[in-house]
Amino acid sequence: MSIFEYNGSALIAMVGKNCFAIASDRRLGVQLQTIATDFQRIYKVHDRLFLGLSGLATDAQTLYQRLGFRHKLYQLREERDMKPETFANLVSAILYEKRFGPYFCQPVIAGLGDEDKPFICTMDSIGAKELAKDFVVAGTASESLYGACESMFKEGMEPEELFETVSQALLSSVDRDCLSGWGGHVYVVTSTEVKERILKGRMD
């Protein structure tokens, strides 16, 4: 078993019309043994920027602490929040810095940029970015997430429709992966509000 699959995870970010959604499962396991059913994989950087970390849970928490520290320094120095593109470059640089002993994480970054344009991207454990205009996925359930998102995604979705699409894609995908699941955690972000919802899924 790969070290990336040790704790199990499912992450998805999808864009809508001037909004985006980011969702994750809630299971923390040690291989096939479930340890917790309310594990946090999505972190708020600021009101318009969210970070999801799949992969090894301990590395994800360490990496988020480093990124939170660097973002606070940026806020103090620049007196503004970081743009999503800038934050993606920061994450990439921090991961590449440790390329010979990497953080075993696959980050998903989602945010609203200038003129409320949604930005999503993911990267591998050494910071090679993959930008997308529709959706990005990560984690042990990524193969089934790709299939569900390909079939369900359509352009210009309003926030409520986007929530429905992301939730259905996540729940149907984690049912096909035994290392992730146990409900879901969804954020839908527009320029004026952040909606957070907890999904109930199969509890096995």
Side-chain angles (χ1 to χ4, degrees), residues 37-97:
T37 59
D38 59 354
F39 189 68
Q40 181 186 5
R41 285 208 170 79
I42 298 171
Y43 303 94
K44 178 177 164 182
V45 181
H46 58 77
D47 285 338
R48 294 159 64 92
L49 179 60
F50 285 77
L51 167 73
L53 292 170
S54 69
L56 192 65
T58 48
D59 276 6
Q61 289 173 332
T62 307
L63 183 57
Y64 171 67
Q65 284 173 346
R66 281 196 68 188
L67 291 168
F69 168 70
R70 293 287 288 270
H71 184 255
K72 281 175 185 161
L73 278 182
Y74 182 93
Q75 281 176 318
L76 284 169
R77 195 181 300 123
E78 302 277 337
E79 296 182 355
R80 63 193 168 107
D81 287 329
M82 219 181 252
K83 289 179 182 173
E85 295 85 351
T86 315
F87 187 72
N89 290 335
L90 170 67
V91 177
S92 181
I94 283 176
L95 288 172
Y96 192 68
E97 202 175 75

